[in-house]
Amino acid sequence: MISKNMENALNEQIVLEGYASQLYLSMASWCDAQGLEGCAQFMHRQSEEERMHMLKIFHYLSEVDAFAKAPGIDQPPHEFESIRALFEQVYHHEQKVTASIHKLLKIGYDENDHTTLNFLQWYVEEQREEEALMRTILDRIKLIGDGPQSLYYIDKEVQQVNAQAEAAEAAEE
């Protein structure tokens, strides 16, 4: 059993992960409307991944005899200034999620909650990978530029990144 404090904090993380899933789904729709099929596929994959992160915490709470709450999620934005602005927002959101995971770790350490600390180690590694991936994409966008002629190349680069990530995930299974 975990403390009420940890239970509440994990339920807040569920909301954050759920919002990320909806945000990335909204971004996928925007990318699709811009004709950026590779970026849309990437964002759909990211949305599913964030939903899985949310559900992983949801199930964990049940396993430790706590109560998981289905999140009420705010409407994410659906318009973005540019593909670069979109990926900058993704990167900043991932940094926010990382900071939240670190707060959960602090609670775990303060409360001597080794079970939750062990559970959260997966998220620590996952967030490192997510931030690195978004930085890579932003670096490529900066190199290519984000003018109208560059969008085709950005879309192909993101499509390639997506394919590599899918292949890595398949190799882990």
Side-chain angles (χ1 to χ4, degrees):
M1 180 128 187
I2 61 173
S3 73
K4 277 292 181 193
N5 185 35
M6 181 61 85
E7 178 181 332
N8 291 336
L10 286 167
N11 272 302
E12 288 174 18
Q13 189 68 30
I14 286 173
V15 172
L16 196 57
E17 301 286 351
Y19 180 80
S21 179
Q22 296 300 333
L23 175 63
Y24 299 165
L25 189 62
S26 181
M27 289 174 166
S29 180
W30 182 86
C31 290
D32 197 38
Q34 305 303 310
L36 300 169
E37 183 180 326
C39 292
Q41 289 172 351
F42 177 82
M43 295 313 300
H44 276 291
R45 192 178 128 280
Q46 289 299 114
S47 175
E48 284 298 315
E49 189 173 304
E50 296 300 330
R51 183 175 186 280
M52 183 272 294
H53 295 175
M54 177 187 73
L55 290 175
K56 191 173 177 122
I57 298 168
F58 201 90
H59 294 302
Y60 174 76
L61 284 168
S62 293
E63 289 172 9
V64 295
D65 200 25
F67 190 80
K69 297 177 185 169
I73 299 173
D74 293 335
Q75 176 73 44
H78 59 277
E79 291 291 328
F80 304 93
E81 182 182 314
S82 66
I83 195 66
R84 183 177 184 165
L86 181 143
F87 276 102
E88 285 172 348
Q89 187 171 349
V90 171
Y91 181 56
H92 293 303
H93 187 77
E94 290 298 335
Q95 288 176 316
K96 181 178 178 179
V97 171
T98 299
S100 182
I101 295 295
H102 290 170
K103 287 178 187 174
L104 289 169
L105 289 166
K106 176 152 180 23
I107 294 168
Y109 283 117
D110 291 347
E111 295 182 354
N112 231 7
D113 182 351
H114 298 285
T115 302
T116 303
L117 286 169
N118 184 54
F119 170 75
L120 291 171
Q121 288 309 304
W122 181 87
Y123 285 89
V124 171
E125 178 65 20
E126 181 68 15
Q127 284 309 118
R128 184 193 58 74
E129 291 172 4
E130 289 293 320
E131 284 190 35
L133 177 60
M134 296 314 152
R135 272 193 316 275
T136 297
I137 291 171
L138 280 170
D139 288 346
R140 290 182 185 177
I141 291 171
K142 289 173 188 171
L143 286 172
I144 295 168
D146 59 352
Q149 289 83 13
S150 302
L151 290 176
Y152 174 81
Y153 296 105
I154 291 169
D155 195 51
K156 291 299 175 197
E157 282 292 316
V158 172
Q159 193 170 33
Q160 184 178 6
V161 167
N162 193 44
Q164 290 168 347
E166 286 176 344
E169 287 171 5
E172 289 176 5
E173 294 175 356

